Amino acid sequence: SNFISSYMDNGERCDKFLEHARSLKGHKFFRVYRVDFVGSASPDGPEKLNEQLAKKRADNLVKYLHKKVEFEDSVVFVSSVTEDWDALEKVIKADKNMPHRDSVLKVIADSELGRFREKELKQRYPQSWSYMSQNYFGQLRNFTIYMHVGIDAPDTEDYHAEEDILILPEEE
């Protein structure tokens, strides 16, 4: 799960983030309160491996960006989403062509299945699992940056905003 700036439009997305971050860091009234780097993995594959991949994605992105813009350590937070079932659910809901869509969504929503959802989906809906593998899983293997910014000016109330930036890793 290396960060490859030439993959898809990662370089462009990073440049946009860096430009924005530098402009905020140089502004006398804005202050970056927190920067969250989150690595995510798709639900396919062993959970332990997905956990390692998601964490590595976030760590690699931080290393890459840290060379280009520095944030105080106290505002940088790194985390990971081991298997992003919520994101998978969103893309399935948006795709009317998904085979067995409603049934698959019921399995995903079944919290009692927990880590056995993958097995259940593969066994009961192999065509759907193949469709998800071809159409969704790549986009769930990603990094996201959340930058929390506030106004630091006299005579103004505190104002906070958040910006999400999604960056995709190299395909596995």
Side-chain angles (χ1 to χ4, degrees):
S1 257
N2 294 322
F3 176 75
I4 307 295
S5 62
S6 60
Y7 179 69
M8 295 183 78
D9 58 350
N10 281 345
E12 184 180 316
R13 291 176 185 196
C14 275
D15 289 346
K16 181 181 175 184
F17 168 76
L18 291 167
E19 179 182 324
H20 191 60
R22 287 182 186 127
S23 72
L24 289 171
K25 283 183 64 149
H27 197 283
K28 68 180 184 177
F29 292 127
F30 288 110
R31 180 163 60 112
V32 177
Y33 286 95
R34 180 181 175 114
V35 183
D36 290 299
F37 296 91
V38 182
S40 297
S42 61
D44 59 324
E47 187 175 9
K48 190 74 172 164
L49 177 61
N50 284 339
E51 182 180 337
Q52 293 168 350
L53 288 169
K55 183 170 178 4
K56 189 174 179 183
R57 281 189 183 107
D59 290 341
N60 286 340
L61 181 63
V62 170
K63 287 176 190 170
Y64 176 83
L65 291 174
H66 193 68
K67 295 175 189 173
K68 300 179 179 287
V69 66
E70 285 198 36
F71 292 103
E72 295 173 28
D73 288 343
S74 63
V75 303
V76 174
F77 296 86
V78 181
S79 64
S80 58
V81 177
T82 300
E83 295 182 336
D84 201 346
W85 289 101
D86 292 338
L88 178 59
E89 183 180 27
K90 286 179 189 174
V91 294
I92 291 171
K93 284 181 177 179
D95 184 355
K96 304 291 184 206
N97 298 316
M98 165 79 183
H100 309 286
R101 182 172 163 262
D102 294 335
S103 299
V104 167
L105 287 170
K106 284 179 185 172
V107 171
I108 290 172
D110 187 347
S111 60
E112 290 186 23
L113 281 172
R115 61 189 180 113
F116 298 104
R117 284 183 244 186
E118 177 181 355
K119 183 178 179 181
E120 182 76 10
L121 289 169
K122 282 180 175 179
Q123 287 178 347
R124 290 179 59 192
Y125 307 105
Q127 179 187 10
S128 300
W129 187 262
S130 178
Y131 183 89
M132 290 185 289
S133 182
Q134 292 173 10
N135 294 286
Y136 306 146
F137 292 159
Q139 65 187 293
L140 299 178
R141 301 173 187 132
N142 62 58
F143 319 91
T144 305
I145 305 168
Y146 301 96
M147 189 163 56
H148 307 263
V149 179
I151 296 175
D152 236 6
D155 301 327
T156 63
E157 292 183 30
D158 262 359
Y159 170 78
H160 296 272
E162 185 177 304
E163 181 170 336
D164 302 352
I165 300 170
L166 178 68
I167 299 173
L168 302 171
E170 178 182 22
E171 283 192 292
E172 297 164 357

